[in-house]
């Protein structure tokens, strides 16, 4: 008779192990180029630390934080929209950095083409004006954060900055460009000279990738 009392526990453990096996674990997104490929704009050492240490830590933290929570089987986008605090910070930083690294390329630089180029032209008058406005806003972000080229629901482009891990996804905006202005993104290469980092970064912007997002 006693055996029967164990049955629910065995079933419960079985269900828990299956659920756990299904739980989401986010992976470190692979770099789409070699760590030294963005030199001299961004050094191999910066990429190794930024991607291999900072981003890896966000992924590890997120995976640890969501275990046993309502977030463990949600998509990254849903986690970002529904969470706050440490889960939000790590999830958003994974999303932000995935974009940032994908939007850089050793074959990048130059100017956007096609519809995105037309939209930038009609919004800012010229690509040069757009870059000037973008850099000014990115420099004005006080402390850690991000600068973005975004599109709203009507297709209108604008430049926005966000604090820390915050991003356009939470505001219903589509990110076209993502520029990390945390010091870890540039300090080894440019020290305190964020404007120099920003002006050099245009040489490696992946406009093909940005156009796909627009
Ligand atoms: Mn970063």
């Amino acid at each position: 008779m006693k055996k029967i009392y164990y049955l629910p526990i065995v079933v419960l453990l079985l269900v828990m192990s299956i659920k756990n096996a299904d739980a989401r674990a986010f992976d470190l997104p692979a770099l789409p180029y070699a760590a030294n490929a963005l030199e001299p704009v961004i050094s191999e050492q910066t990429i190794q630390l930024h991607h291999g240490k900072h981003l890896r830590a966000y992924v590890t933290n997120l995976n640890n934080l969501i275990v046993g929570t309502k977030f463990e089987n949600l998509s990254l986008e849903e986690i970002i929209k529904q969470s706050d605090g440490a889960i939000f910070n790590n999830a958003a930083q994974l999303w932000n950095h995935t974009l940032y690294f994908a939007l850089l390329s050793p074959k990048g630089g130059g100017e956007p083409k096609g519809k995105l180029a037309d939209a930038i032209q009609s919004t800012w008058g010229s690509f040069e004006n757009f870059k000037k406005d973008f850099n000014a806003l990115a420099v004005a972000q006080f402390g850690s954060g991000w600068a973005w080229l975004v599109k709203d629901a009507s297709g209108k482009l604008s430049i926005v900055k966000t604090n820390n891990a915050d991003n356009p996804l939470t505001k219903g905006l589509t990110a076209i460009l993502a520029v990390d202005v945390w010091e870890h993104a540039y300090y080894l290469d440019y020290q305190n000279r964020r404007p120099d980092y920003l002006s050099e970064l245009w040489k490696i912007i992946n406009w093909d990738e940005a156009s796909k997002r627009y």
Side-chain angles (χ1 to χ4, degrees), residues 50-51 54-55 58 93 96-97 100-101 145-146 180-185:
H50 199 179
H51 179 267
H54 289 279
L55 179 52
Y58 296 131
Q93 283 292 73
N96 299 351
H97 284 86
Y100 172 72
F101 288 118
W146 293 79
D180 192 342
V181 296
W182 286 55
E183 283 186 344
H184 68 218

Side-chain angles (χ1 to χ4, degrees), residues 1-11:
M1 267 312 275
K2 235 181 177 179
K3 256 185 203 164
I4 199 112
Y5 295 110
Y6 294 114
L7 194 61
I9 296 168
V10 170
V11 170

Side-chain angles (χ1 to χ4, degrees), residues 114-212:
K115 285 181 188 169
L116 178 57
D118 295 344
I120 288 173
Q121 176 81 30
S122 71
T123 309
W124 285 278
S126 71
F127 182 62
E128 284 309 311
N129 275 344
F130 158 71
K131 283 200 296 186
K132 213 173 81 187
D133 282 6
F134 192 100
N135 286 359
L137 203 76
V139 167
Q141 168 58 32
F142 185 79
S144 296
W146 293 79
W148 311 83
L149 171 62
V150 296
K151 175 180 88 161
D152 70 13
S154 73
K156 187 180 175 296
L157 289 177
S158 58
I159 305 164
V160 297
K161 58 188 171 77
T162 58
N163 292 320
N164 300 317
D166 203 6
N167 68 39
L169 197 60
T170 59
K171 297 159 186 74
L173 299 166
T174 303
I176 313 289
L177 273 188
V179 171
D180 192 342
V181 296
W182 286 55
E183 283 186 344
H184 68 218
Y186 61 85
Y187 209 84
L188 289 177
D189 302 328
Y190 300 91
Q191 292 79 50
N192 60 322
R193 303 186 307 277
R194 188 189 289 179
D196 291 354
Y197 157 68
L198 292 167
S199 64
E200 289 299 296
L201 206 62
W202 297 108
K203 294 176 181 168
I204 53 169
I205 292 293
N206 184 345
W207 287 111
D208 290 341
E209 192 60 36
S211 291
K212 276 187 221 158

